């Protein structure tokens, strides 16, 4: 019960890594809120939670819209009394070759993957500072590591690199009360990778020294570590969970 009585909000919790993290947090004693764009995914996750004996608070909201996210945070704190852990997990990737990449692709990607992290953190921080405690975990990507950006998603790679930089700056500015860290997943078995051509998925597995994709649980366990008291003296760090992919 490493998160006993903690209140956590997970963005992009309607499926994938976010939903898996929500279940793991609940199993570890947390009271959990999830926010996502679509009500459908939220309902499915909440129904599964109920079956497992947990009650999730669900919020439809866009992480890139300041007013929506402030409203979500206010409702969460009103309903559950506080916020101890924020997981900035919502993210998108738009795959298009460099010469076809548009300004719209760039703006959308940066709005969700980077400014979304900023807005959600800015909405949570006042409550955490008032409590004099809090943990923020930002989800970057192996593609955000300096030499690991990928063709076709240069905007995604840049946004995830910027999340690492933002994490370090936030860790300084929100110290000593809020720990801010990053988890950078390698290729993970979710909707985001399921739609990729088989050859690309095969190359991803070959590129990993552990010779498999990550399962969402692999990533969720790293997020749990950084959210728990075990990581009380860790801030501004990046935890790579990539089966050794970045060693190449
Ligand atoms: P996923 O299966 O695509 O799930 C992402 C969730 O975020 C979806 O439910 C999506 O909603 C939601 N979302 C998207 N934009 C949003 C917004 N503006 N506001 C609120 N929610 C939004 O992705 P995943 O694979 O679990 O990835 C989770 C995080 O890990 C992302 O940040 C991703 O970049 C990162 N990551 C993933 C991998 C991987 O291989 N899967 C590798 C490295 C890093 P919709 O369903 O409506 O789009």
């Amino acid at each position: 019960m490493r998160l006993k009585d903690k209140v956590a909000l997970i963005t992009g919790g309607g499926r994938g890594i976010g939903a898996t993290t929500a279940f793991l947090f609940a199993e570890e004693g947390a009271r959990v809120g999830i926010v996502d764009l679509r009500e459908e995914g939220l309902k499915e996750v909440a129904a599964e939670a109920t079956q497992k004996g947990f009650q999730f608070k669900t919020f439809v909201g866009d992480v890139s819209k300041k007013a929506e996210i402030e409203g979500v945070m206010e409702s969460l704190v009103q309903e559950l009394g506080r916020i101890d852990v924020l997981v900035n997990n919502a993210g998108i990737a738009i795959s298009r070759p460099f010469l076809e990449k548009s300004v719209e692709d760039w703006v959308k990607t940066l709005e969700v993957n980077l400014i979304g992290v900023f807005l959600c953190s800015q909405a949570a921080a006042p409550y955490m500072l008032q409590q004099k405690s809090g943990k923020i975990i930002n989800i970057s990507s192996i593609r955000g590591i300096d030499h690991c950006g990928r063709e076709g998603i240069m905007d995604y790679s840049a946004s995830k690199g910027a999340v690492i930089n933002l994490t370090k700056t936030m860790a300084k500015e929100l110290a000593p009360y809020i720990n801010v860290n990053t988890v950078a997943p390698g290729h993970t078995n979710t909707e985001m990778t399921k739609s990729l051509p088989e050859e690309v998925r095969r190359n991803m597995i070959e590129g990993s020294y552990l010779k498999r994709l990550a399962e969402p649980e692999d990533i969720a366990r790293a997020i749990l570590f950084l959210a728990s008291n075990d990581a009380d003296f860790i801030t501004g760090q990046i935890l790579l969970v990539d089966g050794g992919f970045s060693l190449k």
Side-chain angles (χ1 to χ4, degrees), residues 12-16 18-20 22-23 32 34 36 39-52 54 56 58:
R15 68 176 192 217
T20 302
F23 290 126
V32 174
I34 50 176
D36 208 293
E39 194 164 17
E40 195 188 312
L42 289 169
K43 275 190 174 157
E44 280 172 24
V45 174
E48 198 180 327
T50 307
Q51 274 181 358
K52 292 180 173 174
F54 308 124
F56 286 0
T58 60

Side-chain angles (χ1 to χ4, degrees), residues 11-19 35-38 41 59-65 68-69 88-93 108 111-113 116 139-143 156 160 183-194 196 204 213-214 216 219:
T11 72
R15 68 176 192 217
I17 293 169
V35 55
D36 208 293
L37 285 177
R38 290 173 307 113
F59 305 94
V60 175
D62 181 337
V63 295
S64 67
K65 302 277 186 298
E68 286 184 26
I69 286 310
N88 283 312
N89 165 77
I92 57 166
K108 184 77 199 151
E111 269 179 356
V112 177
N113 294 3
I139 308 307
S140 174
S141 165
I142 194 63
R143 298 308 186 179
Y156 175 87
K160 294 297 190 178
V183 169
H187 305 113
T188 308
N189 198 11
T190 66
E191 291 303 317
M192 201 176 249
T193 48
K194 274 179 189 147
L196 293 169
M204 287 173 167
L213 294 180
I219 313 304

Side-chain angles (χ1 to χ4, degrees), residues 114 138 140 144 158-172 180 182 236 238:
L114 179 59
N138 299 326
S140 174
S159 73
K160 294 297 190 178
V163 164
I164 293 169
N165 189 288
L166 174 63
T167 297
K168 291 175 191 291
T169 317
M170 277 170 50
K172 293 180 195 172
V180 190
T182 295
I238 166 171

Side-chain angles (χ1 to χ4, degrees), residues 136 138 166-167 170-171 174 178-182 234-237:
I136 297 177
N138 299 326
L166 174 63
T167 297
M170 277 170 50
L174 298 176
I178 305 177
N179 303 50
V180 190
N181 290 293
T182 295
I234 299 176
T235 197
Q237 300 306 304

